[in-house]
Amino acid sequence: MTKVVDLYFKLLKLLIVLCMVAMIVLVFGNVVLRYAFNSGISVSEELSRWFFVWMIFLGALVALKDRAHLGMDSLVKRLPAVGKRICLVIGHLLMLYICWLIFSGSWQQAAINLDVVAPASGLSMALFYGAGLVFGASAAPILLYELYLALFGKLGDDELVMVKDNDAEVITHNAATADPIKSTHP
């Protein structure tokens, strides 16, 4: 099962890169065409906006799995293990509710806009709202699994705080574990 999940998230990372490349090509190509040849790509703005939305939703999934979202943990990390666990459970329940809201809202919008075509590309607007469907359907199992781990005591005390406070803490940790660089200055 782990291999399937890892393969899925590798696919998501590839799709994120492809969205970024497509955005760069469309926007840069449109700028060059407008300034150099006084013409442009009519679907460039619309498709780059769609790629951006998909890239954000897919990136949020990858960050959720990797526990890479930034947050303020200064209060939670001072709590005892039981308090940390309670905060984690409450936070995950709230995030599951938000995933449900995103999924159900995207489902309704996709159903409403299934036959509506985008003005420039002619694609179904349901594709645009599909990003919320993919996010909701993929984020919920991640959150449920982490909730299971928290409720049944399978997380260590150091794993109960799942956000990174700031980059300085990561840099300090990396500097402490790396070999010191010897300075030649007095």
Side-chain angles (χ1 to χ4, degrees):
M1 188 65 172
T2 305
K3 289 182 181 182
V4 172
V5 171
D6 289 342
L7 185 64
Y8 178 66
F9 280 94
K10 283 183 181 180
L11 174 67
L12 291 182
K13 289 176 184 178
L14 176 66
L15 289 174
I16 291 168
V17 169
L18 291 176
C19 285
M20 178 62 85
V21 168
M23 285 172 44
I24 290 169
V25 168
L26 285 170
V27 172
F28 182 73
N30 204 27
V31 168
V32 168
L33 285 173
R34 284 186 192 225
Y35 285 107
F37 302 105
N38 202 20
S39 68
I41 306 168
S42 59
V43 298
S44 174
E45 184 179 335
E46 184 177 287
L47 288 180
S48 62
R49 183 174 52 247
W50 284 30
F51 287 135
F52 181 72
V53 168
W54 273 90
M55 184 180 67
I56 294 301
F57 274 100
L58 297 179
L61 277 174
V62 172
L64 179 65
K65 181 195 174 280
D66 294 343
R67 298 180 184 169
H69 284 110
L70 294 176
M72 290 296 296
D73 64 349
S74 50
L75 173 67
V76 176
K77 70 180 176 182
R78 288 187 172 90
L79 294 174
V82 174
K84 290 177 185 176
R85 193 172 310 277
I86 290 170
C87 287
L88 182 91
V89 168
I90 291 171
H92 274 62
L93 289 174
L94 289 171
M95 286 189 287
L96 280 168
Y97 176 64
I98 291 169
C99 280
W100 167 249
L101 290 176
I102 291 172
F103 183 83
S104 63
S106 295
W107 181 268
Q108 291 171 358
Q109 287 299 317
I112 290 168
N113 292 297
L114 189 59
D115 295 327
V116 177
V117 295
S121 65
L123 297 171
S124 172
M125 288 297 293
L127 291 173
F128 181 78
Y129 296 107
L133 293 171
V134 171
F135 176 81
S138 298
I142 296 169
L143 293 169
L144 285 170
Y145 178 70
E146 288 181 352
L147 188 62
Y148 162 78
L149 292 176
L151 288 174
F152 292 100
K154 298 185 185 253
L155 290 176
D157 289 347
D158 58 332
E159 295 176 304
L160 292 175
V161 179
M162 292 190 172
V163 297
K164 295 177 183 165
D165 193 14
N166 58 29
D167 290 334
E169 188 175 301
V170 174
I171 291 168
T172 305
H173 174 72
N174 289 343
T177 58
D179 291 334
I181 298 173
K182 296 182 180 178
S183 175
T184 56
H185 300 294

